[in-house]
Amino acid sequence: MRVLLVEDERLIADAIKTFLERHEFRVDWIDDGLLAEEALKNSVFDLVILDLGLPGQDGLAFLKSVRDDQKDTPIVILSARETTKNRIDGLNLGADDYLTKPFDMNELLARCRALVRRSAGRTRMLLQHGALTLDLDQKKACYSGTHVILQPLAFRLLTILLERRGRVVSKSDLMEQLYGWEENAESNVLEVYVSQIRRKTSSQMIRTIRGVGYIVDEDIPA
């Protein structure tokens, strides 16, 4: 799951980023409201964690702009503004949750997971496709009732493709989802992960669209 963290206090941002990445989230951090709005227009995120007191553009202005653009990405406000009016304003402008500082990291994690589940229409963090089941909480995969061991990024790649089944996902989009903005990877890394997934599940699980990217078809592979 890829998170856009919009927070201008470095110590808080570093702590959140470190904690969430320890729990298999991919976190991209921005400390400016205007830059965050641009990032959300140009990249795909599963969740936004939003501070309100931001340079460039206030968090509430960011929130209003995002919802006016019909973006439905789940957004949790994380702010020191703790009055009832602040919470009401944030929720009325389209925030999905509101957590006040100081906060418990485990509560933030639980709320993030709940929002992603709700957004995907799931009550549990499970993805199923034919004989394949992914447990997103435990980071476990099963195929035809047998536990399948995948490298963490291969598991993440398969999750992305399953969540967008029936749609071609470009290689550039997948690389950004897996590595964010801060890391570089070898150009053949996607092929390596796709090969691993096919070997551990079915050769038909992921289809290559030459020169474009990959797709998990709606039809369940044999």
Side-chain angles (χ1 to χ4, degrees):
M1 289 170 282
R2 189 180 183 200
V3 175
L4 177 62
L5 172 61
V6 192
E7 168 64 64
D8 66 331
E9 294 188 40
R10 176 176 288 275
L11 288 177
I12 294 176
D14 283 345
I16 293 172
K17 190 173 189 296
T18 299
F19 183 81
L20 291 182
E21 289 186 341
R22 195 181 304 144
H23 290 83
E24 307 299 332
F25 284 78
R26 176 69 215 176
V27 181
D28 290 308
W29 170 46
I30 289 181
D31 62 0
D32 180 284
L34 288 174
L35 294 179
E37 184 178 340
E38 190 67 21
L40 197 58
K41 287 179 180 178
N42 295 321
S43 299
V44 177
F45 294 91
D46 300 296
L47 179 74
V48 177
I49 298 175
L50 177 67
D51 186 26
L52 294 184
L54 296 167
Q57 177 177 235
D58 181 84
L60 291 179
F62 165 87
L63 180 58
K64 182 178 186 304
S65 179
V66 168
R67 294 311 189 216
D68 285 347
D69 286 343
Q70 305 301 311
K71 284 273 189 179
D72 59 0
T73 307
I75 298 176
V76 54
I77 291 175
L78 192 62
S79 176
R81 301 179 189 177
E82 58 182 7
T83 68
T84 300
K85 182 180 185 305
N86 291 143
R87 291 195 295 273
I88 290 173
D89 287 345
L91 294 170
N92 281 341
L93 284 172
D96 299 276
D97 204 347
Y98 196 113
L99 193 60
T100 57
K101 301 174 182 176
F103 58 92
D104 182 90
M105 284 289 191
N106 286 301
E107 181 179 3
L108 174 63
L109 175 64
R111 288 176 184 243
C112 288
R113 285 175 168 168
L115 284 177
V116 173
R117 282 199 303 270
R118 189 189 312 161
S119 174
R122 297 191 298 263
T123 57
R124 295 180 60 197
M125 296 292 279
L126 292 178
L127 281 175
Q128 291 185 304
H129 188 60
L132 175 68
T133 301
L134 298 187
D135 185 326
L136 304 186
D137 279 333
Q138 300 296 321
K139 299 297 180 291
K140 292 181 178 179
C142 287
Y143 187 74
S144 295
T146 301
H147 178 55
V148 172
I149 298 176
L150 296 172
Q151 294 180 25
L153 287 178
F155 186 95
R156 174 62 181 144
L157 172 63
L158 183 53
T159 300
I160 294 167
L161 291 172
L162 283 178
E163 288 177 334
R164 304 187 199 180
R165 73 191 73 179
R167 292 181 286 164
V168 178
V169 185
S170 70
K171 290 184 177 181
S172 60
D173 190 359
L174 286 169
M175 290 293 287
E176 189 172 285
Q177 290 290 313
L178 292 178
Y179 293 98
W181 303 322
E182 300 176 4
E183 299 180 45
N184 294 314
E186 297 295 331
S187 58
N188 68 336
V189 68
L190 293 180
E191 287 81 358
V192 172
Y193 292 142
V194 168
S195 176
Q196 180 188 134
I197 292 166
R198 288 169 174 160
R199 191 169 62 253
K200 297 292 185 70
T201 59
S202 164
S203 62
Q204 306 301 314
M205 181 61 64
I206 298 173
R207 186 159 57 91
T208 301
I209 307 300
R210 189 174 298 277
V212 181
Y214 299 96
I215 183 173
V216 168
D217 291 312
E218 291 281 6
D219 294 335
I220 297 172

